[in-house]
Amino acid sequence: MTGAAATLETLNAQIVACDRCPRLREHCAEVARVRRRAYADWEYWGKPVPSFGDPAARVLALGLAPGAHGSNRTGRPFTGDGSGDFLFPVLHQAGFASLPAATSRNDGMILKNLWISSVVRCAPPANKPTPQEQRNCAPWLDQEMSLLKNLRVVVCLGRIAFDGLLAHAHRSGKMPARNRLVFAHGAEFTLPTGLIVITSYHPSLQNTNTGKLTRPMFLDIFKRARKLAGLE
Ligand code: SF4
């Protein structure tokens, strides 16, 4: 195991080199080798996806895992797939992102007061990491949370991200293993650490195409995060 990183940049470099989950590493490499026809001329990233954003962020957006042909292709969270196409216009409108669309890690996007990460950093088959793979990846989140010194609000994108954050809080000794916190879209909790958590449906196509998660609903989440983080 690599030693604790001193900066978020060093931590990201360690994450990119991680090989704790052989199944996920093989899957990402295979997707990168075969590629989707629409992206045949892309050189896929194919490695664990580092987090992205403003190291001084007051808000963390926490997702589930990279998409096979999105982040696993572009090398940046929520960049180059349907979830990102839904997320970034909202982040732009809420004042967190410099551009309304994310297309590649060289597109010039700058985040202000926001850090984007996920509980699993390698694209899993069928978007389903195993419980062991989630546990393997958890130490990266622990380190990341300790390095985000200005953090006040976490927006959990989906139930697995929420469970991952609660597990992190438990590991850090600040939450009992059993608690009464229940995931629901738009719910808001304050952890014993003072960190505020807002839960949202994940912006996956199955939620956004069906209207389960609409743009006004999602914008409300990030506007609320801004306000709770003292950014207004
Ligand atoms: S999912 Fe996380 S722990 Fe597993 S190989 Fe990828 S970065 Fe490492």
Side-chain angles (χ1 to χ4, degrees), residues 15 18-21 24-25 48 120-122 133 136-137 140:
I15 289 169
C18 179
D19 59 1
R20 282 179 209 147
C21 307
L24 299 189
R25 295 305 326 122
V120 171
R121 321 245 174 180
C122 294
E133 287 160 352
N136 289 349
C137 218
W140 295 130

Side-chain angles (χ1 to χ4, degrees), residues 112-211:
K112 179 92 175 129
N113 265 312
L114 182 74
W115 188 256
I116 304 181
S117 184
S118 55
V119 290
V120 171
R121 321 245 174 180
C122 294
N127 289 325
K128 286 199 172 71
T130 65
Q132 182 60 53
E133 287 160 352
Q134 293 174 54
R135 284 193 292 275
N136 289 349
C137 218
W140 295 130
L141 181 64
D142 294 348
Q143 284 198 59
E144 192 163 46
M145 296 291 283
S146 69
L147 290 168
L148 288 164
K149 304 286 186 200
N150 298 334
L151 197 60
R152 296 191 190 178
V153 177
V154 181
V155 177
C156 289
L157 301 172
R159 187 186 304 270
I160 292 178
F162 180 55
D163 289 345
L165 183 73
L166 295 184
H168 155 77
H170 174 58
R171 283 191 303 277
S172 61
K174 291 162 186 155
M175 280 276 292
R178 287 174 176 271
N179 59 70
R180 293 170 180 268
L181 308 188
V182 177
F183 178 89
H185 179 80
E188 188 180 309
F189 310 97
T190 302
L191 300 186
T193 53
L195 199 64
I196 299 170
V197 182
I198 307 174
T199 48
S200 167
Y201 292 140
H202 189 279
S204 61
L205 291 178
Q206 70 192 43
N207 287 336
T208 58
N209 279 348
T210 56

Side-chain angles (χ1 to χ4, degrees), residues 74-96:
T74 62
R76 200 174 69 187
F78 287 100
T79 298
D81 63 13
S83 298
D85 290 347
F86 194 85
L87 173 68
F88 276 96
V90 166
L91 295 181
H92 181 62
Q93 195 174 347
F96 288 110

